Amino acid sequence: MGEFTNKIDFEVLVMVNNANPNGDPLNGNRPRETYDGYGEISDVCIKRKIRNRLQDMGENIFVQSDERSDDQCKSLAERAKSNAAMQKAIKDKDRDAYAKAACETWIDVRSFGQVFAFKDDNVSVGVRGPVSVHSAFSVLPVSIDSMQITKSVNGETVKEGKKSSDTMGMKHKISSALYVIKGSINHQLAEKTGFGDEDAEKIKETLRTLFVNDSSSARPDGSMEVCKVYWWKHNCPMGQYSSAKVHRLMKVKALVDDPKEFTDYEIVVDSLPDLELEEIEGI
């Protein structure tokens, strides 16, 4: 933890090839899409991947996936109870000390914020984090390919030698699409949580390597690629421009009717006075 200098805005260009970037559980796990047909990756999904990468980098994470738990805690309440400073703050009825201890312990709490509301501890503390991440959207409307799949083995034993009903299913993918992730880091909230410049560098590295150790049957290794990370640093703590104005600096245009590769797009990034841009290649 340390001091956070100036406001930061960022954008990440992600190329998807024959993958389901974020399935919608309310729509048969088809890739999420807007009413206009554009592909979407939820901000919750993106932050989950950022947390996983931070955990891979050796950072302490509060909201861990069950299969990636590294402290044997079975719930968020158990993880909070394991923190001696937070338990002391509960006894002292000091909400500020409780939030401070959580921010000092877990990088995802001081980055994204967290609501601590546990009945057993009789506590309700909210932390607002400085790192905000938008849902990602595709540059062009997406085309979703679906195919029916079967399993060659029985999931359960049934009578009369018939196969169980779980032998049939559907698999969905997007053949090719370019998605844009947008986000920012707020100075005022960073001061409150103790988020520092070193933490910002770690967030930048997670964005560059977002899909490392993230492969699955829906997202085979290599099907999700971070192509570019654009990292704007303002020249003052509050930022001299709004995030909306900075995010409009980048314009993406398809060079062909049916783009398949990242090189099929033209990326133009305008500039603003005294706004420092770092352009980073994905891994």
Side-chain angles (χ1 to χ4, degrees):
M1 293 177 63
E3 185 180 352
F4 183 67
T5 311
N6 294 341
K7 178 184 175 183
I8 288 171
D9 290 298
F10 59 84
E11 293 194 37
V12 185
L13 296 180
V14 174
M15 197 71 198
V16 177
N17 286 293
N18 295 313
N20 184 346
N22 184 202
D24 184 350
L26 298 180
N27 192 22
N29 208 43
R30 284 170 58 86
R32 295 183 188 273
E33 56 181 331
T34 67
Y35 287 112
D36 298 327
Y38 290 84
E40 180 177 1
I41 305 175
S42 72
D43 61 311
V44 176
C45 174
I46 296 166
K47 286 188 280 189
R48 175 72 273 158
K49 298 180 192 305
I50 293 174
R51 283 185 169 99
N52 289 348
R53 290 299 300 131
L54 287 168
Q55 193 174 5
D56 290 342
M57 293 160 60
E59 299 296 325
N60 291 325
I61 300 298
F62 182 68
V63 184
Q64 300 180 18
S65 297
D66 290 341
E67 69 274 9
R68 294 175 61 98
S69 177
D70 56 14
D71 55 9
Q72 288 73 54
C73 292
K74 298 179 181 179
S75 66
L76 298 182
E78 280 191 20
R79 192 162 292 124
K81 282 184 178 181
S82 68
N83 188 295
M86 291 169 67
Q87 293 307 300
K88 183 180 184 301
I90 291 175
K91 293 179 181 178
D92 296 340
K93 296 182 179 181
D94 191 338
R95 294 162 58 90
D96 291 338
Y98 187 96
K100 182 180 179 181
C103 290
E104 289 177 347
T105 304
W106 297 293
I107 189 173
D108 59 328
V109 175
R110 64 178 179 268
S111 299
F112 304 124
Q114 182 66 34
V115 175
F116 297 90
F118 308 121
K119 291 181 181 179
D120 291 345
D121 287 341
N122 193 25
V123 63
S124 180
V125 176
V127 177
R128 289 184 62 196
V131 181
S132 61
V133 180
H134 301 207
S135 291
F137 296 96
S138 62
V139 173
L140 299 174
V142 295
S143 175
I144 300 174
D145 299 327
S146 301
M147 63 178 177
Q148 193 163 18
I149 57 174
T150 61
K151 291 194 296 185
S152 59
V153 296
N154 260 341
E156 295 181 7
T157 303
V158 295
K159 294 180 179 180
E160 301 176 359
K162 294 181 180 179
K163 285 192 173 183
S164 58
S165 60
D166 63 355
T167 58
M168 305 292 289
M170 295 292 294
K171 193 170 186 177
H172 313 279
K173 65 179 180 180
I174 291 174
S175 59
S176 179
L178 180 63
Y179 285 73
V180 181
I181 302 171
K182 299 179 181 181
S184 62
I185 306 178
N186 178 281
H187 182 272
Q188 183 182 27
L189 294 175
E191 282 188 322
K192 291 183 178 180
T193 67
F195 185 94
D197 285 335
E198 289 185 7
D199 294 326
E201 289 298 314
K202 292 170 185 175
I203 295 293
K204 184 201 299 183
E205 179 62 14
T206 65
L207 295 172
R208 188 182 76 88
T209 62
L210 195 60
F211 302 106
V212 173
N213 297 333
D214 186 59
S215 60
S216 68
S217 62
R219 300 179 305 280
D221 217 351
S223 64
M224 303 284 296
E225 179 186 8
V226 172
C227 298
K228 285 285 180 69
V229 177
Y230 296 89
W231 190 264
W232 288 276
K233 191 167 186 177
H234 294 245
N235 69 356
C236 61
M238 293 298 112
Q240 68 270 40
Y241 306 108
S242 70
S243 293
K245 190 169 187 177
V246 175
H247 289 152
R248 284 197 297 268
L249 292 176
M250 191 181 76
K251 300 174 180 63
V252 184
K253 179 183 177 182
L255 298 174
V256 296
D257 291 336
D258 187 18
K260 298 292 186 184
E261 305 291 339
F262 183 62
T263 52
D264 292 335
Y265 295 88
E266 179 185 44
I267 315 298
V268 177
V269 183
D270 296 332
S271 60
L272 285 171
D274 298 324
L275 187 66
E276 179 185 337
L277 169 62
E278 184 179 359
E279 186 176 329
I280 308 155
E281 295 284 342
I283 190 170

